[in-house]
Amino acid sequence: MTRPLLGRRELLRSASGLVASIAAGRHALGAPAPASGAPGRPMAPLSERAPAEHPARALHERLTGISATPLGELDGTITPSDLHFTRHHAGIPAVDPSRFELLVHGLIDRPTVFRLDELRRLPSRTVTCFIECAGNGLPAVRSAARDRTPGDIDGATSNSEWTGVALRTVLDEVGVKPGARWLLAQSEDAGRYARSIPIEKALDDALLAYGQNGEPIRAEQGYPLRLVLPGWEGSASVKWLRRVELGERPWLTRDETARYSTILRDGRVRLFDFELGPKSIITSPAYPRTVDVGWWEIRGLAWSGAGRIARVEISVDAGATWQDARLDAPVLPRAHTRFRYPWRWDGGATALCSRATDERGQVQPSWQEFSAARAPGNDYHNNHVRGWRVESDGRVWFERG
Ligand SMILES: Nc1nc2c(c(=O)[nH]1)N[C@H]1C(S)=C(S)[C@@H](COP(=O)(O)O)O[C@H]1N2
Ligand SMILES: [Mo]
């Protein structure tokens, strides 16, 4: 390696110093070749990605399955809408917005049908939050395969700006009767997907969302209307919403009993285990990229269903010692948070890991702690520390922890 190495302080002082140093190591310095001077192409009503960029979701089972966000190819915190992961159990229904109706009934004073334009007239709000599948990270639990990208491991989480009407506003309109403790949110997809939601969450921050990152929700995300329950397992955020019923007890639908229970090692089962724990993953450097000797910025995402991320620690020596990463502001509650940590690779074999703590003081468990608490084969809400093994030849492999 002929590249000049920067000191840590220099790197921290000057990001452009790093760029200059890398450039100087690889190329002779000189003015860039002049552009041709010919005008570029004209624009179109819709813009496109730069021709050299091809980020894409990995598809697993096309009819009922998951498409995964390519976390290792993205910067910042907002997931581009066409790269938002998708999970569905019965395909993506085509819902005609002009014929759309939301029925609200049950233990309420005024059973009501809302058209989409009526919902859009109600006071609205915008919230940035992640949606994460309860089974996210399942590949890491089920196999020890090392050739996994960040998206392969944890790509069933995405972060968007959602706009809509607070479910509380709609419930105030229809008048909830005393005694209503739960509500059923049902979809109009082919499986009539339905979940029971406690009234406390419905009255707290539940959103009936019609907007995603500034435009109507994508068909795959539940167009024209979905439930968004910030911080809760994605499976409870019912898409293609059709019906809300208020009642005294949960309905125990197939979609909440055949799946989504947490089975503990001591044999007990947690039903309605909604909130997701603190979690993080280093998105770079990560498989399939390689590293060479010198300075790198370790980058990753952290999030928690309990609120804000308070701290992310990084270990560059396989968990022996930990240092705090820098968190990008603003740190939003129940939203992806970007962390960064400068790392100088000296060429030795090691492993990189990240560990998140949320504002409630919950810490991401180790693989040993996590797997000791769970019944074997129970993959839901797995948030144990993930690692990346760095070999002395510069190759980087996923490591479960
Ligand atoms: N109607 C309906 N809503 C649904 C589902 C479904 O199959 N049908 N899947 C759930 C699951 S398991 C998850 S993880 C989230 C995923 O939301 P997304 O596809 O917008 O990422 O939607 C939830 N809402
Ligand atoms: Mo899910």
Side-chain angles (χ1 to χ4, degrees):
M1 275 290 117
T2 53
R3 177 184 316 161
L5 294 177
L6 283 178
R8 185 167 194 271
R9 202 180 303 135
E10 282 172 77
L11 172 77
L12 292 174
R13 201 182 316 122
S14 154
S16 59
L18 175 67
V19 173
S21 147
I22 287 174
R26 284 200 179 137
H27 314 287
L29 286 179
S36 76
R41 63 167 175 80
M43 57 198 173
L46 293 180
S47 71
E48 288 176 4
R49 290 205 163 84
E53 304 298 330
H54 308 283
R57 301 178 305 175
L59 305 185
H60 312 286
E61 304 167 55
R62 273 161 205 262
L63 183 57
T64 133
I66 292 195
S67 67
T69 296
L71 297 178
E73 297 172 50
L74 302 180
D75 291 315
T77 56
I78 295 291
T79 309
S81 297
D82 61 355
L83 296 173
H84 195 289
F85 89 94
T86 293
R87 172 81 178 108
H88 51 73
H89 299 78
I92 300 156
V95 181
D96 177 351
S98 66
R99 298 183 53 196
F100 170 86
E101 290 181 333
L102 175 70
L103 168 65
V104 185
H105 68 131
L107 276 182
I108 56 172
D109 296 328
R110 292 170 295 280
T112 309
V113 168
F114 293 89
R115 293 194 318 267
L116 195 57
D117 56 341
E118 292 169 331
L119 290 170
R120 282 177 167 274
R121 274 180 66 174
L122 293 173
S124 58
R125 60 162 74 164
T126 293
V127 57
T128 299
C129 67
F130 68 82
I131 289 184
E132 181 183 19
C133 181
N136 196 27
L138 181 151
V141 181
R142 291 212 177 148
S143 114
R146 309 188 307 159
D147 54 343
R148 309 276 197 173
T149 68
D152 293 337
I153 298 300
D154 275 323
T157 185
S158 303
N159 196 60
S160 297
E161 198 191 76
W162 302 100
T163 296
V165 47
L167 179 52
R168 178 179 200 122
T169 304
V170 168
L171 295 179
D172 285 347
E173 285 288 299
V174 299
V176 175
K177 286 198 166 131
R181 304 303 312 152
W182 288 78
L183 63 80
L184 183 77
Q186 185 163 38
S187 161
E188 65 174 283
D189 67 9
R192 304 289 184 263
Y193 187 86
R195 296 292 301 263
S196 306
I197 311 295
I199 191 84
E200 291 79 13
K201 184 70 171 177
L203 295 177
D204 180 13
D205 59 355
L207 189 70
L208 298 177
Y210 44 73
Q212 177 184 3
N213 297 331
E215 60 179 344
I217 283 187
R218 298 261 158 165
E220 296 186 21
Q221 262 62 64
Y223 181 87
L225 192 75
R226 84 173 299 164
L227 193 57
V228 173
L229 300 177
W232 283 20
E233 59 180 19
S235 58
S237 287
V238 175
K239 304 190 280 187
W240 312 292
L241 197 60
R242 170 76 185 86
R243 184 167 81 87
V244 169
E245 182 181 350
L246 279 287
E248 292 171 354
R249 282 175 292 275
W251 280 255
L252 300 176
T253 69
R254 178 184 184 279
D255 300 303
E256 62 201 13
T257 51
R259 283 182 279 258
Y260 306 124
S261 304
T262 306
I263 306 168
L264 302 177
R265 178 73 69 162
D266 63 13
R268 286 178 302 153
V269 174
R270 271 196 226 130
L271 198 57
F272 300 115
D273 192 14
F274 290 117
E275 190 181 281
L276 293 161
K279 191 162 173 179
S280 67
I281 185 168
I282 292 171
T283 54
S284 166
Y287 180 85
R289 292 187 209 180
T290 58
V291 292
D292 48 23
V293 169
W295 282 103
W296 294 87
E297 186 178 62
I298 294 176
R299 299 170 188 154
L301 293 170
W303 62 97
S304 170
R308 289 180 181 78
I309 287 295
R311 178 182 200 194
V312 175
E313 296 159 281
I314 300 291
S315 175
V316 298
D317 53 13
T321 61
W322 297 83
Q323 287 82 33
D324 282 347
R326 186 163 59 81
L327 305 181
D328 275 9
V331 176
L332 300 174
R334 302 172 187 87
H336 284 182
T337 299
R338 180 62 68 176
F339 63 82
R340 306 172 192 278
Y341 182 82
W343 170 57
R344 187 185 162 280
W345 189 47
D346 60 8
T350 187
L352 312 175
C353 2
S354 62
R355 183 168 69 191
T357 303
D358 64 29
E359 62 181 340
R360 203 188 283 158
Q362 302 182 110
V363 183
Q364 225 181 321
S366 67
W367 166 248
Q368 287 73 14
E369 291 165 335
F370 174 82
S371 51
R374 291 302 185 83
N378 193 247
D379 321 297
Y380 293 128
H381 295 214
N382 72 81
N383 65 332
H384 55 86
V385 169
R386 289 104 163 83
W388 299 99
R389 167 82 35 201
V390 180
E391 293 192 348
S392 51
D393 63 4
R395 283 185 301 170
V396 181
W397 302 103
F398 176 68
E399 191 167 85
R400 186 164 59 186

